[in-house]
Amino acid sequence: MIRLFAAVLVAMLVAAAPGRTQDRPAEPEDYRSGDYRSPVPATLAGARVLTTAEAETIWRDKSGVFIDVLPRAPKPANLPTGTVWRDKPRLDIPGSTWLPDTGYGKLAASTEDYLRQGLAHALAGNDATLLVIYCQENCWMSWNAAKRVLSYGYRNVAWYPDGTDGWERANLPLANAEPEPHADEAK
């Protein structure tokens, strides 16, 4: 009886598994421009989609450059004089370059320049290096950014859709991050 119950339970779990994939949206033709924290596609044309295990291997082998595109909360413009502003800490995959706000559907020209310059700096002149683009799980920012990086002509692009959420679930190390400065910011 227990074996029959176990077999039925396994069959139900197997039957339910394809439904999770079906819940994922299809790839849009253009960038996602709203509802950024929602289920993402299973694919990104032109990019390799990584599991956490694959991302970890690349990270440990140092065979790719990791680019975090999680947005950064702006300092409120109406803070009273003398108010101390502290950014929310960002924990990301150690060694990553954080290029915040580069995953929106539409980017200002200055943000596009920031992304291009950040990629060039991270790659240190070797455009053949694997770029691993990530953010958080169920976040279109990384999908948009990886698609945009492909549009710039980079061909060795991977998208890690589970991002820091998947990394943390796997008990992999995280490190405090500081965003890559904009060209007009003092370093």
Side-chain angles (χ1 to χ4, degrees):
M1 183 70 169
I2 292 175
R3 286 186 181 174
L4 176 62
F5 176 74
V8 168
L9 182 60
V10 168
M12 288 173 38
L13 290 172
V14 169
R20 293 179 66 200
T21 303
Q22 291 172 354
D23 290 344
R24 292 183 176 251
E27 278 190 50
E29 288 192 27
D30 205 359
Y31 302 104
R32 176 77 171 242
S33 291
D35 197 16
Y36 293 107
R37 290 305 306 261
S38 60
V40 294
T43 59
L44 173 55
R48 185 172 146 202
V49 180
L50 301 177
T51 64
T52 297
E54 292 166 327
E56 178 187 10
T57 298
I58 293 164
W59 178 75
R60 290 198 187 281
D61 293 346
K62 297 181 178 13
S63 57
V65 171
F66 284 71
I67 306 293
D68 178 6
V69 299
L70 182 76
R72 181 183 189 193
K75 180 179 178 179
N78 59 351
L79 286 177
T81 304
T83 301
V84 175
W85 169 256
R86 289 198 171 94
D87 281 323
K88 181 180 175 186
R90 171 64 174 150
L91 295 175
D92 68 8
I93 298 169
S96 296
T97 297
W98 183 20
L99 301 173
D101 305 319
T102 57
Y104 288 104
K106 294 183 186 206
L107 297 182
S110 61
T111 306
E112 287 252 14
D113 290 344
Y114 172 67
L115 176 58
R116 288 177 188 269
Q117 291 168 7
L119 294 170
H121 182 260
L123 290 170
N126 187 356
D127 291 354
T129 301
L130 175 66
L131 283 164
V132 178
I133 312 296
Y134 73 94
C135 182
Q136 294 175 321
E137 186 174 48
N138 287 325
C139 183
W140 282 85
M141 296 284 179
S142 59
W143 190 92
N144 281 344
K147 182 177 180 75
R148 188 168 277 113
V149 167
L150 287 164
S151 78
Y152 294 162
Y154 293 100
R155 293 293 157 241
N156 199 5
V157 178
W159 171 48
Y160 176 39
D162 289 341
T164 51
D165 296 328
W167 195 262
E168 185 174 23
R169 269 195 309 276
N171 293 316
L172 294 167
L174 292 166
N176 280 322
E178 289 295 324
E180 187 71 18
H182 286 262
D184 59 349
E185 292 176 343
K187 289 191 177 192

